[in-house]
Amino acid sequence: MQILAHITFGLYLVLVLGGGMVATGSRSIVRAFAGLLVTLVGVAGLYFLMDAPFIALMQILIYIGAVSVIIFMAVMLTMASRGEGYETRLKTPQKRILSFLAGGIMAILLAGMVAKYPLASGTTPRNIPVEELGQALLGPYSFVFELISVILFVAMVGAMIAVYERRK
Amino acid sequence: MSMLSIYQWVAIAMFGIGLFGVMVRRSLVGMLIGVELMLNGAGLSIMAAAQFTETAGALAQLSTLLVMGLAAAETTLVLAIVLIVDKRFGHVESENVSLLRG
């Protein structure tokens, strides 16, 4: 069972990192989008592996279901009609190296902190039943629950107002 | 090397890749894809911290859910901004969007 978990983890790791590479490296925006989808599936798998099936399903529902559709809409409404699915001009090599350094240095710093201050951690993930999550949402964290719905509502209405055009 | 550290490193790798994507892309949609990668890395990190340590588990799982909700709201707004930029400038490249007139 242990070996099986390691193999699954490796598979998801390949999905996450490979998808991330495609998402940032590909010149075609649609291919980059497909890479992002692969990454999101990999992260959902990692959530399953961490014994959090509810969050994994939410990841599939919210990210792979909703957010990706919005990104695809953005591609469709802005780039597809002009046949511009590609980044026609890349940034100069100097800027690309600087971008790589920005991401790399940040990641190395954070990874160093994680390595320097290891937390005591178990080897098997805890199982938190969905009932407990529901109780927490309706009990101590009900304000957060309300707040996130208000934020979503305001974002949706704001987006609609922003792109609304009065008919002349 | 604990399980928590391994998951944290995966999350940090996602964050780094996403930051690189935000920096290196010209188009706003490409930058949005990078931001999604960064947010997902953050969610993964919170989740790993919840599942492998003795913290309040429900709190951390709900935090991950909150990150997802914020990502959804942010993506909606970015879609609106991308549409406006496209309508006004005729393209969605970040470097040429420099007009501040209303």
Side-chain angles (χ1 to χ4, degrees):
Chain A
M1 262 341 243
Q2 189 89 27
I3 294 173
L4 203 60
H6 285 304
I7 292 172
T8 330
F9 181 81
L11 181 71
Y12 292 143
L13 190 65
V14 169
L15 283 185
V16 167
L17 295 184
M21 302 279 180
V22 175
T24 52
S26 169
R27 287 190 69 172
S28 158
I29 289 292
V30 178
R31 256 178 227 153
F33 171 68
L36 177 71
L37 279 186
V38 171
T39 305
L40 295 179
V41 171
V43 172
L46 285 179
Y47 286 158
F48 269 119
L49 210 56
M50 274 192 266
D51 203 3
F54 178 66
I55 303 294
L57 289 175
M58 282 298 126
Q59 165 91 6
I60 292 174
L61 192 72
I62 298 177
Y63 267 111
I64 304 171
V67 170
S68 63
V69 170
I70 297 178
I71 297 177
F72 197 69
M73 283 281 199
V75 176
M76 194 176 80
L77 291 175
T78 58
M79 299 172 134
S81 56
R82 293 193 299 273
E84 272 182 12
Y86 287 84
E87 299 236 298
T88 40
R89 295 170 299 129
L90 291 174
K91 290 199 170 175
T92 58
Q94 195 190 1
K95 279 186 182 170
R96 295 170 73 184
I97 291 172
L98 283 177
S99 315
F100 184 77
L101 284 181
I105 289 174
M106 198 75 190
I108 288 171
L109 281 179
L110 286 171
M113 289 309 270
V114 169
K116 195 176 173 190
Y117 301 105
L119 286 172
S121 86
T123 47
T124 48
R126 292 186 297 163
N127 183 16
I128 294 158
V130 184
E131 289 85 3
E132 203 177 310
L133 292 180
Q135 297 284 351
L137 265 186
L138 291 177
Y141 306 119
S142 55
F143 182 66
V144 181
F145 183 58
E146 297 293 333
L147 204 62
I148 192 73
S149 28
V150 170
I151 287 175
L152 272 172
F153 175 69
V154 170
M156 303 282 163
V157 174
M160 268 185 254
I161 291 174
V163 294
Y164 179 73
E165 253 183 299
R166 194 179 293 276
R167 201 174 288 171
K168 306 239 165 61
Chain B
M1 201 162 62
S2 62
M3 284 306 281
L4 176 63
S5 303
I6 296 173
Y7 275 101
Q8 298 280 29
W9 281 326
V10 176
I12 289 168
M14 276 181 77
F15 179 83
I17 291 174
L19 190 59
F20 169 66
V22 173
M23 296 279 192
V24 86
R25 287 280 183 201
R26 269 179 192 277
S27 66
L28 292 176
V29 181
M31 291 167 83
L32 175 63
I33 289 176
V35 171
E36 293 302 330
L37 275 176
M38 287 165 77
L39 279 171
N40 231 299
L44 187 63
S45 166
I46 296 174
M47 197 62 178
Q51 295 299 94
F52 291 107
T53 59
E54 292 298 317
T55 45
L59 171 64
Q61 294 213 1
L62 292 180
S63 309
T64 310
L65 212 54
L66 200 77
V67 171
M68 286 182 199
L70 285 177
E74 167 258 341
T75 314
T76 318
L77 283 178
V78 170
L79 173 63
I81 293 170
V82 164
L83 286 183
I84 293 168
V85 167
D86 183 61
K87 201 161 59 184
R88 189 164 291 182
F89 295 93
H91 58 77
V92 286
E93 291 194 350
S94 59
E95 286 183 0
N96 302 330
V97 180
S98 54
L99 190 70
L100 272 179
R101 195 153 41 81

